[in-house]
Amino acid sequence: MKRFAQLYEELDSTTSTNAKVTAMIGYFRLAPPDDAAWALFFLTGQRLKRLLSGRLLADWAMEMRGIPSWLFSDCYEAVGDLAESVALLLAGRLETEPGAELSLGQWMETRILPLVEVDAEEQKTRVTSWWRELGARELFMLNKVLTGELRVGVSHTLVTRAVANVAGVDPAVMAHKLMGTWRPTAEFFTWLTSGDTAHADASRPYPFCLATQLDQDVRELGNRADYQAEWKWDGIRAQILRRDELHIWSRGEELITDRFPELHEPAMRLPPGTVLDGEIVASLGGPPLPFQVLQQRIGRKKLTPQILASAPAAFLAYDILEEGGTDLRGLPLRERRVRLEALVRPVGPPFSLSEVITAPDWDALTALRRESRERSAEGLMLKHLGSPYGTGRRRGDWWKWKIDPYTVDAVLIYAQPGSGRRSNLFTDYTFGVWHEGKLVPVAKAYSGLSDAEIAEMDRWIRGHTVERHGPVRAVEPVHVFELAFEAIAESSRHRSGIALRFPRMARWRRDKPASEADTLERVRALLKAHQG
């Protein structure tokens, strides 16, 4: 546990990618396989389900320290993170009872996971005894794991690079071995860092090839004839694996086979050993419907006949990654497309091919792009015909040429602390627009500001709070921000009746007084325009 806590601190205290990779390589080279497997589990963003509530930990800590709830609340508000607040209150202030030096793997397997098998009183006894054994760094780590909130400030790509270095393999090979679901065991990590691929799970997908946002004049890409152009649809990016069995994986590495039963029978018409990349969309037999239609069934445990009828799923095939059990990713796109068409056309609905746009030059393609919203598309995809199917984002091969986002000017009305390294800063904001003389919440956003702007806004929030609601602060409504977002829809879950898709702060409108921010009527006009 101490070694992993030290690694966490090293990763959290630097923004250097090289330093992060070096720290992880050092850890993985020295850690026993069971420790390394659990560390990898957390570093790749996986989390246990919450074993204990933060409220329970706070109550136990207050009892042990003999402090009132108001004082703990003040401490929590100053720190911004409950696990850290408990750790700071306890570390060095309890009568210690040194315990055995347990590794991360031993902690997980012999202490933490078995907590689900005992009653609340026994949980309290065990956890409070562990607290007496640990320093502040390890206390913080333990609390984060217990509450299911451990997040490490490192990207999946950097973790993959570090483990690939330890194994002595190409990062693309390691990325594939890490795809899908796996258990953090010593056996898994030993296999992962070996050259063995024979026991790879047949359900394991390939790493997704990702596109880069086009932020230059499209003509700078060169010859239009070198690129395949397709519509960029707003759906669920997915791989369909037709091996011995059928598996459907989302880009977020979530197994979603059971959520789309209407795709099962047509997918099984594909020859065994086929893997396709594409987009799951809602469709009634024509063009894809807006994402909000598909969203009706996301997260539902039970798919009723009514939902299946109102939001039927279809699969738009973009690429073929495997045919007859052979990995095709190294072939150029022009060859993969020929194979894709030959395999998918006979399958029939609800499978179809992503349309290749035949506009002869960049000017014609630019004109077509302007029709994106009318087609419920997000813009265009541009893929070099000579490109392999790469791992992750390879600049220059695939480009996403999205249409300009919608924007509104809204007023900052609430703020709350962020998470991880930003847990002591107010970084998560709620914005409102005017309606009948009052500001109505319309969106939440936490991205788009520079570190300097975040620090400036944090200082201002602390000095201009008008009300407190737990960790949330209501602030003086004076700052206007331009919010950018991709789509807009009606929503009964929001007070404004509106939901914005992927809102972010495009700029801080220091030039604009709050009285000149947008109105709910204008936002509704955008909704009407979006709906066509």
Side-chain angles (χ1 to χ4, degrees), residues 491-525:
S491 173
S492 59
R493 296 185 295 112
H494 295 77
R495 282 175 54 190
S496 62
I498 300 289
L500 309 184
R501 185 158 166 77
F502 300 137
R504 66 268 187 196
M505 291 167 278
R507 60 175 171 149
W508 188 345
R509 294 296 307 268
R510 300 174 190 264
D511 60 316
K512 199 167 194 177
S515 60
E516 295 180 12
D518 282 318
T519 64
L520 186 56
E521 287 68 31
R522 179 178 180 270
V523 178
R524 285 174 175 161

PDB file of all heavy atoms in Angstrom, residues 491-525:
ATOM      1  N   SER A 491     -35.965  18.529 -22.045  1.00  0.00           N
ATOM      2  CA  SER A 491     -35.662  17.663 -20.911  1.00  0.00           C
ATOM      3  C   SER A 491     -36.580  17.997 -19.743  1.00  0.00           C
ATOM      4  O   SER A 491     -36.583  19.136 -19.271  1.00  0.00           O
ATOM      5  CB  SER A 491     -34.201  17.810 -20.485  1.00  0.00           C
ATOM      6  OG  SER A 491     -33.950  17.095 -19.291  1.00  0.00           O
ATOM      7  N   SER A 492     -37.291  16.999 -19.281  1.00  0.00           N
ATOM      8  CA  SER A 492     -38.170  17.201 -18.124  1.00  0.00           C
ATOM      9  C   SER A 492     -37.392  17.164 -16.819  1.00  0.00           C
ATOM     10  O   SER A 492     -37.916  17.513 -15.761  1.00  0.00           O
ATOM     11  CB  SER A 492     -39.257  16.119 -18.105  1.00  0.00           C
ATOM     12  OG  SER A 492     -38.661  14.829 -18.036  1.00  0.00           O
ATOM     13  N   ARG A 493     -36.115  16.764 -16.874  1.00  0.00           N
ATOM     14  CA  ARG A 493     -35.294  16.656 -15.664  1.00  0.00           C
ATOM     15  C   ARG A 493     -34.621  17.972 -15.303  1.00  0.00           C
ATOM     16  O   ARG A 493     -33.998  18.082 -14.255  1.00  0.00           O
ATOM     17  CB  ARG A 493     -34.233  15.562 -15.843  1.00  0.00           C
ATOM     18  CG  ARG A 493     -34.814  14.179 -16.001  1.00  0.00           C
ATOM     19  CD  ARG A 493     -33.742  13.110 -16.058  1.00  0.00           C
ATOM     20  NE  ARG A 493     -32.895  13.243 -17.239  1.00  0.00           N
ATOM     21  CZ  ARG A 493     -31.621  13.592 -17.202  1.00  0.00           C
ATOM     22  NH1 ARG A 493     -31.047  13.878 -16.038  1.00  0.00           N
ATOM     23  NH2 ARG A 493     -30.916  13.675 -18.299  1.00  0.00           N
ATOM     24  N   HIS A 494     -34.698  18.963 -16.176  1.00  0.00           N
ATOM     25  CA  HIS A 494     -34.054  20.247 -15.922  1.00  0.00           C
ATOM     26  C   HIS A 494     -35.100  21.343 -15.736  1.00  0.00           C
ATOM     27  O   HIS A 494     -36.122  21.371 -16.422  1.00  0.00           O
ATOM     28  CB  HIS A 494     -33.134  20.617 -17.092  1.00  0.00           C
ATOM     29  CG  HIS A 494     -31.976  19.680 -17.272  1.00  0.00           C
ATOM     30  ND1 HIS A 494     -32.108  18.437 -17.859  1.00  0.00           N
ATOM     31  CD2 HIS A 494     -30.659  19.799 -16.946  1.00  0.00           C
ATOM     32  CE1 HIS A 494     -30.932  17.837 -17.896  1.00  0.00           C
ATOM     33  NE2 HIS A 494     -30.037  18.635 -17.341  1.00  0.00           N
ATOM     34  N   ARG A 495     -34.828  22.239 -14.799  1.00  0.00           N
ATOM     35  CA  ARG A 495     -35.783  23.317 -14.504  1.00  0.00           C
ATOM     36  C   ARG A 495     -36.082  24.168 -15.730  1.00  0.00           C
ATOM     37  O   ARG A 495     -37.192  24.665 -15.913  1.00  0.00           O
ATOM     38  CB  ARG A 495     -35.232  24.204 -13.386  1.00  0.00           C
ATOM     39  CG  ARG A 495     -35.388  23.613 -11.992  1.00  0.00           C
ATOM     40  CD  ARG A 495     -34.702  24.486 -10.962  1.00  0.00           C
ATOM     41  NE  ARG A 495     -35.155  25.877 -11.017  1.00  0.00           N
ATOM     42  CZ  ARG A 495     -34.569  26.869 -10.355  1.00  0.00           C
ATOM     43  NH1 ARG A 495     -33.499  26.609  -9.613  1.00  0.00           N
ATOM     44  NH2 ARG A 495     -35.034  28.092 -10.430  1.00  0.00           N
ATOM     45  N   SER A 496     -35.099  24.326 -16.576  1.00  0.00           N
ATOM     46  CA  SER A 496     -35.293  25.148 -17.767  1.00  0.00           C
ATOM     47  C   SER A 496     -36.065  24.418 -18.856  1.00  0.00           C
ATOM     48  O   SER A 496     -36.525  25.042 -19.819  1.00  0.00           O
ATOM     49  CB  SER A 496     -33.934  25.561 -18.333  1.00  0.00           C
ATOM     50  OG  SER A 496     -33.195  24.407 -18.723  1.00  0.00           O
ATOM     51  N   GLY A 497     -36.199  23.075 -18.703  1.00  0.00           N
ATOM     52  CA  GLY A 497     -36.845  22.282 -19.743  1.00  0.00           C
ATOM     53  C   GLY A 497     -35.935  22.003 -20.923  1.00  0.00           C
ATOM     54  O   GLY A 497     -36.359  21.478 -21.943  1.00  0.00           O
ATOM     55  N   ILE A 498     -34.653  22.345 -20.771  1.00  0.00           N
ATOM     56  CA  ILE A 498     -33.677  22.230 -21.848  1.00  0.00           C
ATOM     57  C   ILE A 498     -32.454  21.471 -21.357  1.00  0.00           C
ATOM     58  O   ILE A 498     -32.017  21.641 -20.214  1.00  0.00           O
ATOM     59  CB  ILE A 498     -33.223  23.635 -22.336  1.00  0.00           C
ATOM     60  CG1 ILE A 498     -34.411  24.437 -22.862  1.00  0.00           C
ATOM     61  CG2 ILE A 498     -32.132  23.523 -23.388  1.00  0.00           C
ATOM     62  CD1 ILE A 498     -34.977  23.958 -24.157  1.00  0.00           C
ATOM     63  N   ALA A 499     -31.883  20.637 -22.214  1.00  0.00           N
ATOM     64  CA  ALA A 499     -30.609  19.964 -21.913  1.00  0.00           C
ATOM     65  C   ALA A 499     -29.630  20.247 -23.042  1.00  0.00           C
ATOM     66  O   ALA A 499     -29.969  20.104 -24.218  1.00  0.00           O
ATOM     67  CB  ALA A 499     -30.817  18.457 -21.770  1.00  0.00           C
ATOM     68  N   LEU A 500     -28.427  20.681 -22.687  1.00  0.00           N
ATOM     69  CA  LEU A 500     -27.380  20.945 -23.659  1.00  0.00           C
ATOM     70  C   LEU A 500     -26.409  19.767 -23.683  1.00  0.00           C
ATOM     71  O   LEU A 500     -26.059  19.227 -22.639  1.00  0.00           O
ATOM     72  CB  LEU A 500     -26.617  22.227 -23.313  1.00  0.00           C
ATOM     73  CG  LEU A 500     -27.463  23.484 -23.056  1.00  0.00           C
ATOM     74  CD1 LEU A 500     -26.550  24.691 -22.827  1.00  0.00           C
ATOM     75  CD2 LEU A 500     -28.417  23.745 -24.218  1.00  0.00           C
ATOM     76  N   ARG A 501     -25.965  19.388 -24.869  1.00  0.00           N
ATOM     77  CA  ARG A 501     -25.054  18.242 -25.009  1.00  0.00           C
ATOM     78  C   ARG A 501     -23.610  18.722 -25.087  1.00  0.00           C
ATOM     79  O   ARG A 501     -23.255  19.539 -25.914  1.00  0.00           O
ATOM     80  CB  ARG A 501     -25.422  17.450 -26.261  1.00  0.00           C
ATOM     81  CG  ARG A 501     -24.616  16.167 -26.450  1.00  0.00           C
ATOM     82  CD  ARG A 501     -25.376  15.215 -27.350  1.00  0.00           C
ATOM     83  NE  ARG A 501     -24.577  14.123 -27.841  1.00  0.00           N
ATOM     84  CZ  ARG A 501     -24.231  13.041 -27.133  1.00  0.00           C
ATOM     85  NH1 ARG A 501     -24.621  12.945 -25.860  1.00  0.00           N
ATOM     86  NH2 ARG A 501     -23.518  12.080 -27.670  1.00  0.00           N
ATOM     87  N   PHE A 502     -22.777  18.192 -24.189  1.00  0.00           N
ATOM     88  CA  PHE A 502     -21.357  18.527 -24.092  1.00  0.00           C
ATOM     89  C   PHE A 502     -21.104  20.029 -23.946  1.00  0.00           C
ATOM     90  O   PHE A 502     -20.336  20.619 -24.721  1.00  0.00           O
ATOM     91  CB  PHE A 502     -20.585  18.003 -25.314  1.00  0.00           C
ATOM     92  CG  PHE A 502     -20.650  16.518 -25.495  1.00  0.00           C
ATOM     93  CD1 PHE A 502     -20.842  15.964 -26.752  1.00  0.00           C
ATOM     94  CD2 PHE A 502     -20.537  15.663 -24.415  1.00  0.00           C
ATOM     95  CE1 PHE A 502     -20.910  14.593 -26.931  1.00  0.00           C
ATOM     96  CE2 PHE A 502     -20.605  14.285 -24.571  1.00  0.00           C
ATOM     97  CZ  PHE A 502     -20.791  13.752 -25.834  1.00  0.00           C
ATOM     98  N   PRO A 503     -21.718  20.689 -22.974  1.00  0.00           N
ATOM     99  CA  PRO A 503     -21.430  22.121 -22.795  1.00  0.00           C
ATOM    100  C   PRO A 503     -20.025  22.340 -22.239  1.00  0.00           C
ATOM    101  O   PRO A 503     -19.542  21.568 -21.418  1.00  0.00           O
ATOM    102  CB  PRO A 503     -22.494  22.565 -21.787  1.00  0.00           C
ATOM    103  CG  PRO A 503     -22.807  21.325 -21.005  1.00  0.00           C
ATOM    104  CD  PRO A 503     -22.681  20.185 -21.975  1.00  0.00           C
ATOM    105  N   ARG A 504     -19.359  23.385 -22.702  1.00  0.00           N
ATOM    106  CA  ARG A 504     -18.051  23.779 -22.163  1.00  0.00           C
ATOM    107  C   ARG A 504     -17.915  25.283 -22.296  1.00  0.00           C
ATOM    108  O   ARG A 504     -18.626  25.911 -23.092  1.00  0.00           O
ATOM    109  CB  ARG A 504     -16.901  23.069 -22.856  1.00  0.00           C
ATOM    110  CG  ARG A 504     -16.673  23.404 -24.320  1.00  0.00           C
ATOM    111  CD  ARG A 504     -17.401  22.466 -25.231  1.00  0.00           C
ATOM    112  NE  ARG A 504     -17.057  22.673 -26.639  1.00  0.00           N
ATOM    113  CZ  ARG A 504     -17.785  22.187 -27.625  1.00  0.00           C
ATOM    114  NH1 ARG A 504     -18.892  21.507 -27.388  1.00  0.00           N
ATOM    115  NH2 ARG A 504     -17.406  22.373 -28.880  1.00  0.00           N
ATOM    116  N   MET A 505     -17.009  25.831 -21.529  1.00  0.00           N
ATOM    117  CA  MET A 505     -16.799  27.277 -21.537  1.00  0.00           C
ATOM    118  C   MET A 505     -15.890  27.651 -22.701  1.00  0.00           C
ATOM    119  O   MET A 505     -14.717  27.295 -22.720  1.00  0.00           O
ATOM    120  CB  MET A 505     -16.201  27.715 -20.202  1.00  0.00           C
ATOM    121  CG  MET A 505     -17.172  27.600 -19.034  1.00  0.00           C
ATOM    122  SD  MET A 505     -16.368  27.764 -17.427  1.00  0.00           S
ATOM    123  CE  MET A 505     -15.727  26.101 -17.170  1.00  0.00           C
ATOM    124  N   ALA A 506     -16.448  28.363 -23.661  1.00  0.00           N
ATOM    125  CA  ALA A 506     -15.658  28.774 -24.822  1.00  0.00           C
ATOM    126  C   ALA A 506     -14.828  30.009 -24.516  1.00  0.00           C
ATOM    127  O   ALA A 506     -13.699  30.137 -24.998  1.00  0.00           O
ATOM    128  CB  ALA A 506     -16.574  29.031 -26.014  1.00  0.00           C
ATOM    129  N   ARG A 507     -15.374  30.940 -23.725  1.00  0.00           N
ATOM    130  CA  ARG A 507     -14.606  32.118 -23.313  1.00  0.00           C
ATOM    131  C   ARG A 507     -15.318  32.843 -22.177  1.00  0.00           C
ATOM    132  O   ARG A 507     -16.521  32.716 -22.002  1.00  0.00           O
ATOM    133  CB  ARG A 507     -14.368  33.070 -24.481  1.00  0.00           C
ATOM    134  CG  ARG A 507     -15.609  33.612 -25.138  1.00  0.00           C
ATOM    135  CD  ARG A 507     -15.271  34.636 -26.211  1.00  0.00           C
ATOM    136  NE  ARG A 507     -16.440  35.009 -26.979  1.00  0.00           N
ATOM    137  CZ  ARG A 507     -16.627  36.201 -27.523  1.00  0.00           C
ATOM    138  NH1 ARG A 507     -15.724  37.151 -27.366  1.00  0.00           N
ATOM    139  NH2 ARG A 507     -17.708  36.465 -28.225  1.00  0.00           N
ATOM    140  N   TRP A 508     -14.531  33.556 -21.441  1.00  0.00           N
ATOM    141  CA  TRP A 508     -15.025  34.374 -20.339  1.00  0.00           C
ATOM    142  C   TRP A 508     -15.367  35.744 -20.915  1.00  0.00           C
ATOM    143  O   TRP A 508     -14.499  36.477 -21.380  1.00  0.00           O
ATOM    144  CB  TRP A 508     -13.924  34.469 -19.289  1.00  0.00           C
ATOM    145  CG  TRP A 508     -14.299  35.106 -17.996  1.00  0.00           C
ATOM    146  CD1 TRP A 508     -15.386  35.861 -17.712  1.00  0.00           C
ATOM    147  CD2 TRP A 508     -13.537  35.036 -16.782  1.00  0.00           C
ATOM    148  NE1 TRP A 508     -15.375  36.275 -16.407  1.00  0.00           N
ATOM    149  CE2 TRP A 508     -14.242  35.779 -15.811  1.00  0.00           C
ATOM    150  CE3 TRP A 508     -12.337  34.430 -16.417  1.00  0.00           C
ATOM    151  CZ2 TRP A 508     -13.777  35.929 -14.503  1.00  0.00           C
ATOM    152  CZ3 TRP A 508     -11.873  34.561 -15.132  1.00  0.00           C
ATOM    153  CH2 TRP A 508     -12.593  35.308 -14.180  1.00  0.00           C
ATOM    154  N   ARG A 509     -16.645  36.105 -20.897  1.00  0.00           N
ATOM    155  CA  ARG A 509     -17.096  37.354 -21.505  1.00  0.00           C
ATOM    156  C   ARG A 509     -16.950  38.507 -20.512  1.00  0.00           C
ATOM    157  O   ARG A 509     -17.927  39.028 -19.965  1.00  0.00           O
ATOM    158  CB  ARG A 509     -18.554  37.234 -21.969  1.00  0.00           C
ATOM    159  CG  ARG A 509     -18.793  36.250 -23.107  1.00  0.00           C
ATOM    160  CD  ARG A 509     -18.084  36.675 -24.382  1.00  0.00           C
ATOM    161  NE  ARG A 509     -18.389  38.034 -24.776  1.00  0.00           N
ATOM    162  CZ  ARG A 509     -19.388  38.355 -25.606  1.00  0.00           C
ATOM    163  NH1 ARG A 509     -20.176  37.424 -26.111  1.00  0.00           N
ATOM    164  NH2 ARG A 509     -19.581  39.625 -25.935  1.00  0.00           N
ATOM    165  N   ARG A 510     -15.726  38.940 -20.300  1.00  0.00           N
ATOM    166  CA  ARG A 510     -15.475  40.042 -19.373  1.00  0.00           C
ATOM    167  C   ARG A 510     -16.040  41.359 -19.909  1.00  0.00           C
ATOM    168  O   ARG A 510     -16.202  42.321 -19.169  1.00  0.00           O
ATOM    169  CB  ARG A 510     -13.977  40.193 -19.137  1.00  0.00           C
ATOM    170  CG  ARG A 510     -13.311  38.954 -18.530  1.00  0.00           C
ATOM    171  CD  ARG A 510     -11.808  39.162 -18.477  1.00  0.00           C
ATOM    172  NE  ARG A 510     -11.082  37.957 -18.123  1.00  0.00           N
ATOM    173  CZ  ARG A 510     -10.684  37.640 -16.895  1.00  0.00           C
ATOM    174  NH1 ARG A 510     -10.972  38.446 -15.893  1.00  0.00           N
ATOM    175  NH2 ARG A 510      -9.999  36.538 -16.667  1.00  0.00           N
ATOM    176  N   ASP A 511     -16.317  41.365 -21.224  1.00  0.00           N
ATOM    177  CA  ASP A 511     -16.821  42.582 -21.862  1.00  0.00           C
ATOM    178  C   ASP A 511     -18.322  42.748 -21.731  1.00  0.00           C
ATOM    179  O   ASP A 511     -18.877  43.765 -22.157  1.00  0.00           O
ATOM    180  CB  ASP A 511     -16.470  42.553 -23.355  1.00  0.00           C
ATOM    181  CG  ASP A 511     -17.099  41.351 -24.059  1.00  0.00           C
ATOM    182  OD1 ASP A 511     -17.044  40.234 -23.488  1.00  0.00           O
ATOM    183  OD2 ASP A 511     -17.641  41.518 -25.160  1.00  0.00           O
ATOM    184  N   LYS A 512     -18.987  41.773 -21.123  1.00  0.00           N
ATOM    185  CA  LYS A 512     -20.447  41.760 -21.162  1.00  0.00           C
ATOM    186  C   LYS A 512     -21.031  41.750 -19.754  1.00  0.00           C
ATOM    187  O   LYS A 512     -20.685  40.882 -18.939  1.00  0.00           O
ATOM    188  CB  LYS A 512     -20.922  40.533 -21.939  1.00  0.00           C
ATOM    189  CG  LYS A 512     -22.333  40.616 -22.451  1.00  0.00           C
ATOM    190  CD  LYS A 512     -22.579  39.499 -23.476  1.00  0.00           C
ATOM    191  CE  LYS A 512     -23.845  39.774 -24.252  1.00  0.00           C
ATOM    192  NZ  LYS A 512     -24.069  38.756 -25.309  1.00  0.00           N
ATOM    193  N   PRO A 513     -21.941  42.651 -19.428  1.00  0.00           N
ATOM    194  CA  PRO A 513     -22.595  42.625 -18.108  1.00  0.00           C
ATOM    195  C   PRO A 513     -23.623  41.497 -18.055  1.00  0.00           C
ATOM    196  O   PRO A 513     -24.150  41.057 -19.093  1.00  0.00           O
ATOM    197  CB  PRO A 513     -23.268  43.992 -18.022  1.00  0.00           C
ATOM    198  CG  PRO A 513     -23.508  44.397 -19.434  1.00  0.00           C
ATOM    199  CD  PRO A 513     -22.361  43.835 -20.220  1.00  0.00           C
ATOM    200  N   ALA A 514     -23.931  41.055 -16.858  1.00  0.00           N
ATOM    201  CA  ALA A 514     -24.882  39.944 -16.692  1.00  0.00           C
ATOM    202  C   ALA A 514     -26.243  40.272 -17.286  1.00  0.00           C
ATOM    203  O   ALA A 514     -26.939  39.378 -17.780  1.00  0.00           O
ATOM    204  CB  ALA A 514     -25.014  39.598 -15.211  1.00  0.00           C
ATOM    205  N   SER A 515     -26.636  41.529 -17.249  1.00  0.00           N
ATOM    206  CA  SER A 515     -27.951  41.910 -17.767  1.00  0.00           C
ATOM    207  C   SER A 515     -28.089  41.634 -19.257  1.00  0.00           C
ATOM    208  O   SER A 515     -29.208  41.526 -19.781  1.00  0.00           O
ATOM    209  CB  SER A 515     -28.216  43.391 -17.496  1.00  0.00           C
ATOM    210  OG  SER A 515     -27.225  44.193 -18.120  1.00  0.00           O
ATOM    211  N   GLU A 516     -26.961  41.505 -19.976  1.00  0.00           N
ATOM    212  CA  GLU A 516     -27.005  41.269 -21.410  1.00  0.00           C
ATOM    213  C   GLU A 516     -26.805  39.801 -21.788  1.00  0.00           C
ATOM    214  O   GLU A 516     -26.654  39.470 -22.969  1.00  0.00           O
ATOM    215  CB  GLU A 516     -25.941  42.129 -22.108  1.00  0.00           C
ATOM    216  CG  GLU A 516     -26.205  43.626 -21.993  1.00  0.00           C
ATOM    217  CD  GLU A 516     -25.147  44.452 -22.692  1.00  0.00           C
ATOM    218  OE1 GLU A 516     -24.347  43.866 -23.457  1.00  0.00           O
ATOM    219  OE2 GLU A 516     -25.115  45.671 -22.475  1.00  0.00           O
ATOM    220  N   ALA A 517     -26.819  38.911 -20.793  1.00  0.00           N
ATOM    221  CA  ALA A 517     -26.735  37.480 -21.094  1.00  0.00           C
ATOM    222  C   ALA A 517     -27.996  37.039 -21.824  1.00  0.00           C
ATOM    223  O   ALA A 517     -29.011  37.738 -21.842  1.00  0.00           O
ATOM    224  CB  ALA A 517     -26.543  36.683 -19.809  1.00  0.00           C
ATOM    225  N   ASP A 518     -27.950  35.853 -22.405  1.00  0.00           N
ATOM    226  CA  ASP A 518     -29.072  35.373 -23.209  1.00  0.00           C
ATOM    227  C   ASP A 518     -30.272  34.995 -22.345  1.00  0.00           C
ATOM    228  O   ASP A 518     -30.168  34.802 -21.123  1.00  0.00           O
ATOM    229  CB  ASP A 518     -28.634  34.169 -24.043  1.00  0.00           C
ATOM    230  CG  ASP A 518     -27.843  34.589 -25.264  1.00  0.00           C
ATOM    231  OD1 ASP A 518     -28.241  35.565 -25.905  1.00  0.00           O
ATOM    232  OD2 ASP A 518     -26.820  33.941 -25.564  1.00  0.00           O
ATOM    233  N   THR A 519     -31.403  34.872 -23.024  1.00  0.00           N
ATOM    234  CA  THR A 519     -32.664  34.530 -22.367  1.00  0.00           C
ATOM    235  C   THR A 519     -33.041  33.088 -22.680  1.00  0.00           C
ATOM    236  O   THR A 519     -32.548  32.487 -23.647  1.00  0.00           O
ATOM    237  CB  THR A 519     -33.793  35.445 -22.846  1.00  0.00           C
ATOM    238  OG1 THR A 519     -34.001  35.218 -24.254  1.00  0.00           O
ATOM    239  CG2 THR A 519     -33.454  36.908 -22.597  1.00  0.00           C
ATOM    240  N   LEU A 520     -33.935  32.556 -21.872  1.00  0.00           N
ATOM    241  CA  LEU A 520     -34.439  31.213 -22.114  1.00  0.00           C
ATOM    242  C   LEU A 520     -35.178  31.156 -23.452  1.00  0.00           C
ATOM    243  O   LEU A 520     -35.161  30.130 -24.137  1.00  0.00           O
ATOM    244  CB  LEU A 520     -35.363  30.781 -20.969  1.00  0.00           C
ATOM    245  CG  LEU A 520     -35.859  29.334 -20.998  1.00  0.00           C
ATOM    246  CD1 LEU A 520     -34.697  28.350 -21.037  1.00  0.00           C
ATOM    247  CD2 LEU A 520     -36.753  29.054 -19.797  1.00  0.00           C
ATOM    248  N   GLU A 521     -35.790  32.258 -23.838  1.00  0.00           N
ATOM    249  CA  GLU A 521     -36.496  32.309 -25.118  1.00  0.00           C
ATOM    250  C   GLU A 521     -35.526  32.089 -26.279  1.00  0.00           C
ATOM    251  O   GLU A 521     -35.843  31.382 -27.243  1.00  0.00           O
ATOM    252  CB  GLU A 521     -37.216  33.654 -25.270  1.00  0.00           C
ATOM    253  CG  GLU A 521     -38.460  33.817 -24.402  1.00  0.00           C
ATOM    254  CD  GLU A 521     -38.148  33.896 -22.910  1.00  0.00           C
ATOM    255  OE1 GLU A 521     -37.048  34.395 -22.539  1.00  0.00           O
ATOM    256  OE2 GLU A 521     -38.983  33.437 -22.106  1.00  0.00           O
ATOM    257  N   ARG A 522     -34.326  32.696 -26.179  1.00  0.00           N
ATOM    258  CA  ARG A 522     -33.350  32.482 -27.248  1.00  0.00           C
ATOM    259  C   ARG A 522     -32.874  31.036 -27.274  1.00  0.00           C
ATOM    260  O   ARG A 522     -32.681  30.435 -28.337  1.00  0.00           O
ATOM    261  CB  ARG A 522     -32.140  33.403 -27.091  1.00  0.00           C
ATOM    262  CG  ARG A 522     -31.124  33.147 -28.203  1.00  0.00           C
ATOM    263  CD  ARG A 522     -29.913  34.041 -28.177  1.00  0.00           C
ATOM    264  NE  ARG A 522     -29.052  33.682 -29.292  1.00  0.00           N
ATOM    265  CZ  ARG A 522     -28.084  32.767 -29.244  1.00  0.00           C
ATOM    266  NH1 ARG A 522     -27.839  32.123 -28.119  1.00  0.00           N
ATOM    267  NH2 ARG A 522     -27.348  32.498 -30.319  1.00  0.00           N
ATOM    268  N   VAL A 523     -32.689  30.452 -26.092  1.00  0.00           N
ATOM    269  CA  VAL A 523     -32.258  29.057 -26.029  1.00  0.00           C
ATOM    270  C   VAL A 523     -33.324  28.159 -26.642  1.00  0.00           C
ATOM    271  O   VAL A 523     -33.024  27.213 -27.387  1.00  0.00           O
ATOM    272  CB  VAL A 523     -31.955  28.638 -24.578  1.00  0.00           C
ATOM    273  CG1 VAL A 523     -31.556  27.172 -24.515  1.00  0.00           C
ATOM    274  CG2 VAL A 523     -30.848  29.506 -23.988  1.00  0.00           C
ATOM    275  N   ARG A 524     -34.576  28.456 -26.360  1.00  0.00           N
ATOM    276  CA  ARG A 524     -35.657  27.666 -26.955  1.00  0.00           C
ATOM    277  C   ARG A 524     -35.724  27.849 -28.467  1.00  0.00           C
ATOM    278  O   ARG A 524     -36.093  26.933 -29.205  1.00  0.00           O
ATOM    279  CB  ARG A 524     -36.990  28.059 -26.310  1.00  0.00           C
ATOM    280  CG  ARG A 524     -37.144  27.501 -24.901  1.00  0.00           C
ATOM    281  CD  ARG A 524     -38.397  28.009 -24.227  1.00  0.00           C
ATOM    282  NE  ARG A 524     -38.594  27.379 -22.919  1.00  0.00           N
ATOM    283  CZ  ARG A 524     -39.373  27.866 -21.968  1.00  0.00           C
ATOM    284  NH1 ARG A 524     -40.032  29.021 -22.168  1.00  0.00           N
ATOM    285  NH2 ARG A 524     -39.509  27.240 -20.817  1.00  0.00           N
ATOM    286  N   ALA A 525     -35.345  29.033 -28.927  1.00  0.00           N
ATOM    287  CA  ALA A 525     -35.299  29.265 -30.374  1.00  0.00           C
ATOM    288  C   ALA A 525     -34.222  28.387 -31.015  1.00  0.00           C
ATOM    289  O   ALA A 525     -34.414  27.858 -32.123  1.00  0.00           O
ATOM    290  CB  ALA A 525     -35.028  30.735 -30.666  1.00  0.00           C
TER     291      ALA A 525
END
